[in-house]
Amino acid sequence: MKIAVPFEDGQVFQHFGRSAQFKFYEAENGQLLRTEVIRRMVRPRRTGRLLVQHGADVVLCGGIGTGAQVALMQAGIQLFGGLSGAADAAVADYLAGKLVFDPDIHCTHHD
């Protein structure tokens, strides 16, 4: 499984569509195997493609607009939004089954 997190300075970046980089976490059976930070070199509307190309199954993020949510859903990528703080801690919580997230997350910037 691959988990992608919009990432800046070790934190979950709060605006999905404007994130300059994503940290990818590869895990198996609840154990973290490896991580990789990838700089986004594509336009924001193509972020979904970047995540698909790198095999993301799950996205953990802060704020995210409706269009991006739909794109992730269409790509079969699970979304867990409304997160803040350390990216590594969010992934650890996800893998431990104790992630607290907002299932109705939206980006007020776009409303």
Side-chain angles (χ1 to χ4, degrees):
M1 161 194 316
K2 272 199 176 175
I3 304 162
V5 180
F7 183 78
E8 182 175 83
D9 296 326
Q11 304 294 304
V12 176
F13 188 71
Q14 291 302 297
H15 196 292
F16 177 85
R18 293 191 179 166
S19 181
Q21 57 191 7
F22 284 81
K23 187 169 183 179
F24 286 84
Y25 300 77
E26 189 170 344
E28 187 175 300
N29 299 321
Q31 299 297 310
L32 191 59
L33 302 176
R34 66 186 61 85
T35 66
E36 177 182 17
V37 176
I38 296 177
R39 291 200 49 80
R40 184 177 75 182
M41 304 304 263
V42 297
R43 291 179 287 173
R45 295 195 185 273
R46 297 210 176 131
T47 300
R49 285 187 194 170
L50 171 79
L51 299 176
V52 168
Q53 288 172 343
H54 288 280
D57 301 296
V58 172
V59 168
L60 308 181
C61 68
I64 183 169
T66 304
Q69 290 181 41
V70 170
L72 294 177
M73 182 179 65
Q74 289 174 341
I77 299 172
Q78 287 186 292
L79 173 65
F80 298 87
L83 306 175
S84 61
D88 292 352
V91 171
D93 286 348
Y94 174 79
L95 292 174
K98 59 181 186 175
L99 182 68
V100 177
F101 66 99
D102 181 355
D104 297 317
I105 188 65
H106 67 283
C107 182
T108 57
H109 171 78
H110 296 285
D111 291 342

